[in-house]
Amino acid sequence: MPRGCPRSVRLFGRDLKRWLYDPNGAWAILPEGWPSWVSGGCWILARALHEWIGKGSKVWAIYSEIGSDILDPNIIPQHLVVKVGDCFLDGDGASTEKQLLERWEKEEGLRYPELRPASIKDLKEVMIECPVGPTKDLAKALQQTFGTPYYLSRS
């Protein structure tokens, strides 16, 4: 578990990852044809987490050079996460900025990944539409499964 994140966020990240991939948990909410919460489903997950956590969270994106001919000649958004304090939540759980960027550079092959607040304009240009139904369903399921996220919004 990342050492730079508060214990409550690390533990939630661990439980979130388990729940997201549990066939009796959130896995059933992921729309058919979407590979995983990290690949394709990240927009649904980020929006649902942000809706559930509220003011203490922000949607951020990992930008990189891959596919850069679409937007800016240098970088485009590749993955969405939710920032809570100094930690980031996604389908892999909780990470520090360093851990998140290293994982996406080494495991996903992104060149020069950069983390910054997500631009809705950029996302609409390069990512598929984020379905509202599954986003709302996931936010509701987060509330039912984990309760009020007071332990996250104060991190």
Side-chain angles (χ1 to χ4, degrees):
M1 279 192 263
R3 296 196 189 281
C5 296
R7 185 172 192 272
S8 61
V9 177
R10 291 192 324 261
L11 292 174
F12 170 73
R14 180 198 64 197
D15 293 344
L16 174 68
K17 183 176 180 178
R18 264 192 222 135
W19 177 73
L20 287 171
Y21 294 97
D22 182 339
N24 298 314
W27 189 251
I29 298 171
L30 188 67
E32 190 174 326
W34 294 59
S36 77
W37 293 112
V38 178
S39 177
C42 63
W43 198 351
I44 296 170
L45 178 58
R47 286 183 62 178
L49 280 168
H50 177 60
E51 183 178 315
W52 175 63
I53 296 168
K55 289 191 288 186
S57 69
K58 300 252 187 269
V59 177
W60 281 50
I62 297 176
Y63 289 77
S64 84
E65 289 187 351
I66 294 177
S68 62
D69 57 324
I70 298 172
L71 277 177
D72 180 299
N74 297 314
I75 57 175
I76 66 165
Q78 299 287 336
H79 179 61
L80 294 178
V81 297
V82 170
K83 184 175 185 189
V84 178
D86 291 331
C87 300
F88 297 88
L89 297 169
D90 70 357
D92 286 326
S95 305
T96 63
E97 179 175 353
K98 182 178 186 235
Q99 291 166 326
L100 183 65
L101 291 175
E102 283 178 359
R103 185 171 70 241
W104 277 83
E105 186 169 21
K106 291 176 183 165
E107 294 177 23
E108 301 296 331
L110 297 186
R111 292 180 55 203
Y112 312 114
E114 179 184 315
L115 192 57
R116 63 183 186 207
S119 159
I120 298 302
K121 179 182 172 277
D122 289 353
L123 297 176
K124 286 183 177 180
E125 284 190 47
V126 299
M127 297 181 102
I128 57 177
E129 190 76 23
C130 183
V132 175
T135 301
K136 296 283 183 201
D137 292 345
L138 186 60
K140 183 178 177 182
L142 282 161
Q143 179 65 35
Q144 291 170 341
T145 303
F146 297 104
T148 303
Y150 65 88
Y151 50 91
L152 295 175
S153 59
R154 293 186 293 179
S155 296

